[in-house]
Amino acid sequence: MDEITFAVLGTGGIGRRTLEVSTEKEGLTPVAACDRHGVAIDHGGLDVDELLAATEGNIASDPEDRVSTDGGGAAAAGVKQTGEDAGVVASAQAEPTETPIDDVIAESEAIDAVLVALPNFEHDFIPRVVDRFAEADYSGTVIDVLKRSRVIDMLDDRADALEAAGMTVVCGAGATPGFLTGAAALAAQSFVEIESVDIWWGVGLKSGYEDNRGTVREDIAHLPDYDIEDAREMSEAEIEAVIDEHDGVIEFEDMEHADDVLLERAGICDAEDVTVGGILDLTADEKPTTTTVSVTGRTFDGETGTNTFQLDDDTSMEANVNGPALGYMKAGVRRNRAGEYGVFGPGELMPGF
Amino acid sequence: MDEITFAVLGTGGIGRRTLEVSTEKEGLTPVAACDRHGVAIDHGGLDVDELLAATEGNIASDPEDRVSTDGGGAAAAGVKQTGEDAGVVASAQAEPTETPIDDVIAESEAIDAVLVALPNFEHDFIPRVVDRFAEADYSGTVIDVLKRSRVIDMLDDRADALEAAGMTVVCGAGATPGFLTGAAALAAQSFVEIESVDIWWGVGLKSGYEDNRGTVREDIAHLPDYDIEDAREMSEAEIEAVIDEHDGVIEFEDMEHADDVLLERAGICDAEDVTVGGILDLTADEKPTTTTVSVTGRTFDGETGTNTFQLDDDTSMEANVNGPALGYMKAGVRRNRAGEYGVFGPGELMPGF
């Protein structure tokens, strides 16, 4: 495969780890990264080590930043944790900006792919980001790691604009949906009819919690008594209180996760046949349960069986989000270069069902 | 996905089951089928039920046919088991022919994909079939279910001719290589470096044995004391003797299976890091062992783990060959229609590594 240049929007846990993983992958050159306060662009390739070191523990993406823009003092390491200099601008490669996404768009002719690694607090946030690229006639690939079923339809509404611009959007391309959606699509190949897809995940996130507050906040929105607006408006203290209430181990059942609509659009099963649940343990790094995809179906010769895909407990959430995100990015760019535009879910980048 | 018309070359176990499975899949219309003695073509769609019923237990593809062309009497069901009328010509839709593949080529402008379901006794047999389509400027997709590592290179040697014709070849697209190769490629996504891929299969083939003699014969070629030429030349009695020697349960270790080169060409690992083995039980339909793909690798954050993919013991070999073969056919046709020509392995039709 030819070389791929890419940008990362958002340098929270996912964006930072995507940059890090990309340094171990062939054919990928990160050329831009931004957060809400700054942007780093180098078409020759960002110095990922410098960027990660300079911004370690320094993420300008959570709601506390929005309410405490007091320009507060520098943190111990000389990096501002909050205020105007928080986030990616702590890197020598970055400049402060009021318009980070526009700055990336301005340089996007030389950028093959854009990975959107921003928590999707407003339902239409990622669709609106996609709109801005389409309006600028960006003719590359956009990957997101969104989790909400209802957002897929919003992207589909933009199919004509994407086609006109020559854009390929791969949505829901993290761990779940993403990696596990693809696994379900593949596991389905034994069968001619799918009865059920069960996706069950375990995440242990003790040491990675600080780096993944956005992800945890978004997960809380999946609890029965909360929605995405609640989660977005909650203070850090309120989030902590929910975590404490569950003694740091939160079990999710029947989550609204985009795996369902992504498998339906790939023609594999009805959205209602898909269930997603899991356990998030913030008290330990060990996974509280083994991440497993179970696909039950009927074979052409009349048997019923369940194929399974399991991730080793020692593979972290970060490994299982970022490897697949980059893998789907490569697949998306390939489609884009072949002239296939529009919206693709992970299941559509697998063998057909 | 748009409608796909396809031909099947070979109406032994695999070809027949491919036709059968396709009737339960959306968007697939079988329009041609042939064996060594006959060809059935109907661009409106073959009547698969009639073709399968007429030819049940009647396969003109094994060596015994070649040596006993005595025009012998009709079998109990009125279907000739051997001789000039053996095989697909027993179907009302078929005509006898001396040139079955040429007959399909003559009609290939209206055929989107060709599935080669012939045991690959001569190493260069499938490459030579591909040559014939390329020489005729066939601009569609060819899928094969070959198993031998060395054949992949032969196909690669034809890359220029395929590009010129506008042909897309998906090779090794059955169960293993094929389904399990794709599973290994996907399971690798947690990792930045792969240490080993272990593919272990179980097949129980008591009731399906008659229908799968070609497959069993080809498997025997993988035993330490045999090669593909031996297996091709052996009489049915000699094959039976090998089976009896193993009490009907044959274990294979470190087979020359194309999974290794197919994973290497997808950039996932070195061919030598891939091992393939399994157990073939001809005394029972239950699988003697659970088919499992284990991919061990190192994550970007320094952990080592093993992801696994397991097929339910109740999914038959036939289900696991033919579903994926048709799935890869759909993927190959999509690539072909987008203008991507040349040779693809299953791993290259998955997210990039």
Side-chain angles (χ1 to χ4, degrees), chain B residues 320-339:
Chain B
N320 292 321
V321 167
N322 295 295
L326 292 171
Y328 285 121
M329 177 192 286
K330 286 185 174 186
V333 170
R334 185 161 194 164
R335 288 291 169 94
N336 182 263
R337 287 176 176 166

Side-chain angles (χ1 to χ4, degrees), chain A residues 226-239:
Chain A
Y226 298 85
D227 66 19
I228 206 161
E229 285 73 25
D230 296 333
R232 177 161 52 100
E233 298 300 332
M234 286 164 78
S235 69
E236 281 299 310
E238 286 170 320
I239 295 282

Side-chain angles (χ1 to χ4, degrees), chain A:
Chain A
M1 184 176 295
D2 295 329
E3 199 69 22
I4 294 171
T5 57
F6 73 98
V8 171
L9 309 186
T11 53
I14 291 174
R16 291 161 57 81
R17 294 293 87 79
T18 299
L19 291 170
E20 186 176 349
V21 174
S22 77
T23 63
E24 299 212 51
K25 291 282 185 183
E26 281 182 30
L28 294 178
T29 306
V31 296
C34 70
D35 64 12
R36 56 192 5 257
H37 297 306
V39 63
I41 297 179
D42 184 337
H43 291 295
L46 292 173
D47 179 346
V48 171
D49 290 343
E50 188 276 341
L51 192 143
L52 294 182
T55 60
E56 190 68 44
N58 166 29
I59 297 168
S61 65
D62 67 17
E64 296 264 296
D65 280 312
R66 302 184 205 171
V67 293
S68 62
T69 49
D70 59 359
V79 173
K80 294 205 176 181
Q81 303 294 319
T82 59
E84 285 178 14
D85 295 339
V88 76
V89 293
S91 160
Q93 303 168 78
E95 300 288 338
T97 176
E98 299 279 304
T99 55
I101 291 176
D102 289 334
D103 293 1
V104 172
I105 288 174
E107 303 277 338
S108 65
E109 204 173 308
I111 300 174
D112 298 316
V114 176
L115 190 134
V116 186
L118 301 160
N120 186 37
F121 289 128
E122 295 92 1
H123 282 315
D124 61 348
F125 180 72
I126 288 173
R128 282 192 286 115
V129 170
V130 167
D131 281 343
R132 289 165 67 182
F133 278 86
E135 282 158 15
D137 266 334
Y138 176 60
S139 60
T141 301
V142 174
I143 317 290
D144 67 59
V145 292
L146 64 81
K147 298 179 179 179
R148 290 273 160 174
S149 304
R150 64 191 87 167
V151 181
I152 311 297
D153 285 342
M154 294 184 192
L155 288 170
D156 272 334
D157 291 342
R158 288 149 170 88
D160 289 346
L162 298 177
E163 186 74 37
M167 263 173 85
T168 304
V169 174
V170 182
C171 55
T176 179
F179 194 11
L180 303 186
T181 326
L186 191 68
Q189 292 283 334
S190 298
F191 309 114
V192 293
E193 190 177 354
I194 302 305
E195 287 179 11
S196 64
V197 174
D198 290 298
I199 293 175
W200 177 252
W201 53 262
V203 170
L205 207 59
K206 187 182 180 191
S207 60
Y209 174 57
E210 290 302 320
D211 231 17
N212 288 284
R213 283 166 176 258
T215 300
V216 172
R217 182 181 287 269
E218 204 175 339
D219 280 339
I220 282 174
H222 290 283
L223 286 171
D225 296 337
Y226 298 85
D227 66 19
I228 206 161
E229 285 73 25
D230 296 333
R232 177 161 52 100
E233 298 300 332
M234 286 164 78
S235 69
E236 281 299 310
E238 286 170 320
I239 295 282
E240 297 289 347
V242 172
I243 294 168
D244 288 346
E245 224 171 85
H246 291 79
D247 295 324
V249 182
I250 310 177
E251 183 163 341
F252 300 87
E253 283 178 25
D254 209 4
M255 305 169 77
E256 184 206 335
H257 242 248
D259 302 272
D260 57 354
V261 293
L262 292 169
L263 287 167
E264 181 169 298
R265 65 180 288 139
I268 290 163
C269 59
D270 292 336
E272 65 197 20
D273 299 328
V274 180
T275 53
V276 179
I279 303 178
L280 172 65
D281 186 347
L282 296 165
T283 68
D285 283 334
E286 288 72 47
K287 288 192 187 182
T289 185
T290 297
T291 298
T292 305
V293 179
S294 306
V295 177
T296 301
R298 177 180 62 79
T299 64
F300 81 101
D301 44 4
E303 299 286 341
T304 296
T306 301
N307 292 343
T308 53
F309 179 72
Q310 286 199 317
L311 300 181
D312 192 294
D313 287 349
D314 284 340
T315 62
S316 61
M317 180 197 76
E318 292 87 343
N320 292 321
V321 167
N322 295 295
L326 292 172
Y328 285 121
M329 177 192 287
K330 286 185 173 184
V333 170
R334 184 161 195 164
R335 289 290 169 94
N336 183 262
R337 287 175 176 167
E340 292 189 77
Y341 310 130
V343 179
F344 293 81
E348 292 157 277
L349 298 173
M350 306 297 288
F353 181 66

Side-chain angles (χ1 to χ4, degrees), chain B residues 80-110:
Chain B
K80 293 204 176 182
Q81 303 293 318
T82 60
E84 285 178 14
D85 295 339
V88 75
V89 294
S91 160
Q93 302 167 78
E95 300 289 337
T97 177
E98 299 279 303
T99 55
I101 291 176
D102 289 334
D103 293 2
V104 172
I105 287 173
E107 303 276 340
S108 64
E109 204 174 308

